[in-house]
Amino acid sequence: MNNFILLVMIFLNVHSLEFPQFYHRSTDIYIEIAQTIEKCDGVELEMVRDYPKLSMVTLNKNQNKPNKGFLLFGEHARELISPETGLHFVKKLCNQNEDMKSIKDNYELQMIVNLNPLSREKVESGDFCKRENENGVDLNRNYKSHWSKDHDPEMVRTAPGPFAFSEAETQTVRDELKKFSPHVFFSIHSGTLALFTPYAYSKEQPSENISNMMQILTEVKEKHCETCKMGSCGHEIGYLSPGTSMDYAYDDLKIPYSFTFEIYHGGLDVRTKKHALKFLEVQSSHNKHRITDEEKLDQLLRDHSCFATTSTKEMPPDECFKYFNPEEKDQYDFYVENWTQAITLSLNRVAEQRQTQQQS
């Protein structure tokens, strides 16, 4: 009996964290977007898949704007802050915000704010480590670009699916990207702090348009994420991730600006390395090998990227939530606003670069 009571207490402790009220459930995300755009010129909401139910927000649909951008949020269910940032971006787009004026003037946008709604519902019910979709497939390993059942031997597990584009969610992204032919693509994640360009499947760095992308990311890092790693994903984190949306957009569809932003890491702060390194002091106090502060930070950021699927293997659910998502309302507000501004800045810089290219 005593052992039974102890097991119950452990179970209750592991599942003690409730879904915070200031986060949105999947149905609420759809409803709030629909209500937001009622009085929002040029912004529409349409269903693009019946099962799972996937909706897409569009700006200036078929309006012949000089630039096209595609924003993808919520590939991994446990990364709740990603769709929350997408929702905040839509709200800012509709609130007559001055920062968004140039976006409205220069862009046709498509945004899937919640790509993995069925698994997100499981996260909302307490399964805070759930990463894959309803079929147990990692959506960000299911794209055709260098898709493989094999994986980096350093990785413990991966779930690419039985074949490329086996999942309704990735089929939808593929179909919409092909029809839309955007100039810039964003995939928004959490789990570390990083500003990535292709490739994820290789440690080699691409040559096509890389200097322009890096110029944009350098400014984003300076203004919005001093702690972020920056550069070619596979090269920076040291792990290979075949079948990602970013590489598919860049390699297969030839979208010249293709980015992955990783926007939250529990314990680290986007604003200053000083805060991040202070967090590392306790973690490294028992490390037998003396390494520099910069090396500590670099290792932590690499090991906990959304591309590194080993990071939550032993985590209890409540720790998963705190690791991938802000737990306090003031933190939440800061991160969704910070990354909405970072995405907006990036879109504007892409438009400026493309205008310069066309004039030269």
Side-chain angles (χ1 to χ4, degrees):
M1 178 63 71
N2 288 340
N3 287 339
F4 175 75
I5 293 173
L6 179 61
L7 287 172
V8 170
M9 290 176 66
I10 292 172
F11 178 84
L12 290 173
N13 181 59
V14 168
H15 294 80
S16 60
L17 181 67
E18 294 184 358
F19 190 72
Q21 292 186 350
F22 53 87
Y23 278 81
H24 299 78
R25 298 184 180 275
S26 287
T27 52
D28 295 332
I29 290 175
Y30 178 83
I31 291 170
E32 194 150 336
I33 289 175
Q35 292 173 342
T36 297
I37 68 172
E38 283 181 355
K39 299 179 180 180
C40 188
D41 291 341
V43 181
E44 301 174 15
L45 178 64
E46 59 185 82
M47 296 302 298
V48 290
R49 195 89 187 192
D50 291 330
Y51 187 85
K53 289 187 180 298
L54 297 177
S55 60
M56 183 168 69
V57 180
T58 64
L59 169 69
N60 295 326
K61 187 175 181 179
N62 300 323
Q63 291 300 305
N64 240 3
K65 296 294 181 178
N67 304 287
K68 293 182 177 182
F70 193 100
L71 280 60
L72 182 61
F73 304 87
E75 284 181 292
H76 293 150
R78 66 191 178 190
E79 299 164 17
L80 299 168
I81 194 63
S82 171
E84 301 290 331
T85 302
L87 174 60
H88 188 72
F89 184 93
V90 173
K91 288 180 178 179
K92 291 291 289 286
L93 202 57
C94 292
N95 285 348
Q96 305 300 319
N97 188 281
E98 191 61 32
D99 295 340
M100 289 292 188
K101 186 178 186 305
S102 58
I103 302 296
K104 293 179 179 178
D105 291 343
N106 293 297
Y107 268 96
E108 184 177 342
L109 292 181
Q110 290 186 350
M111 294 163 276
I112 297 181
V113 173
N114 186 19
L115 183 67
N116 198 352
L118 296 180
S119 284
R120 182 183 170 102
E121 288 174 2
K122 292 184 178 180
V123 175
E124 294 161 4
S125 298
D127 189 1
F128 293 126
C129 292
K130 180 68 174 174
R131 171 186 170 101
E132 297 85 2
N133 77 341
E134 66 279 5
N135 299 322
V137 174
D138 185 336
L139 297 179
N140 204 28
R141 298 294 185 278
N142 190 239
Y143 294 85
K144 183 181 177 182
S145 182
H146 306 277
W147 179 90
S148 175
K149 282 191 175 180
D150 299 326
H151 56 86
D152 191 317
E154 295 181 48
M155 306 295 282
V156 172
R157 64 179 178 86
T158 187
F163 53 87
F165 293 123
S166 61
E167 305 308 297
E169 296 92 340
T170 54
Q171 292 169 19
T172 301
V173 175
R174 174 198 63 194
D175 295 346
E176 296 303 328
L177 282 173
K178 283 186 172 181
K179 286 187 292 185
F180 189 45
S181 297
H183 305 107
V184 56
F185 171 86
F186 290 90
S187 177
I188 308 300
H189 288 266
S190 65
T192 192
L193 296 170
L195 306 166
F196 286 139
T197 65
Y199 296 116
Y201 77 89
S202 171
K203 293 181 183 179
E204 294 183 9
Q205 300 182 59
S207 56
E208 189 69 30
N209 202 44
I210 191 66
S211 61
N212 287 329
M213 286 192 281
M214 289 300 292
Q215 181 180 338
I216 291 169
L217 294 187
T218 299
E219 185 177 357
V220 173
K221 179 180 173 73
E222 178 185 331
K223 294 181 177 178
H224 295 285
C225 189
E226 182 183 332
T227 315
C228 276
K229 286 189 72 65
M230 182 181 76
S232 179
C233 178
H235 179 266
E236 289 298 320
I237 66 173
Y239 300 126
L240 304 185
S241 304
T244 65
S245 57
M246 176 178 67
D247 285 350
Y248 175 69
Y250 182 79
D251 245 10
D252 291 51
L253 300 184
K254 308 304 179 187
I255 298 173
Y257 295 87
S258 185
F259 302 108
T260 294
F261 284 5
E262 296 212 48
I263 65 174
Y264 184 79
H265 179 303
L268 298 186
D269 194 300
V270 298
R271 289 159 289 190
T272 171
K273 285 188 177 181
K274 183 178 179 181
H275 182 280
L277 295 171
K278 184 177 180 181
F279 169 76
L280 290 173
E281 287 177 4
V282 176
Q283 289 195 333
S284 62
S285 60
H286 301 294
N287 195 329
K288 295 179 181 179
H289 305 286
R290 297 184 66 83
I291 58 177
T292 68
D293 287 345
E294 290 290 338
E295 287 172 328
K296 295 175 198 172
L297 181 58
D298 181 71
Q299 184 69 39
L300 191 68
L301 291 173
R302 282 192 289 113
D303 286 352
H304 298 88
S305 166
C306 75
F307 294 96
T309 58
T310 60
S311 60
T312 61
K313 187 183 177 188
E314 305 298 335
M315 269 190 196
D318 57 341
E319 289 302 314
C320 273
F321 181 91
K322 299 171 187 177
Y323 191 86
F324 289 95
N325 308 285
E327 190 179 10
E328 303 296 333
K329 181 63 163 63
D330 59 343
Q331 261 194 322
Y332 169 97
D333 290 340
F334 169 79
Y335 275 91
V336 296
E337 175 62 18
N338 179 70
W339 288 104
T340 290
Q341 290 182 18
I343 294 167
T344 303
L345 171 64
S346 303
L347 286 168
N348 284 328
R349 294 297 179 263
V350 168
E352 291 166 7
Q353 286 187 2
R354 294 192 70 249
Q355 183 178 30
T356 300
Q357 293 164 8
Q358 290 164 5
Q359 291 174 345
S360 61

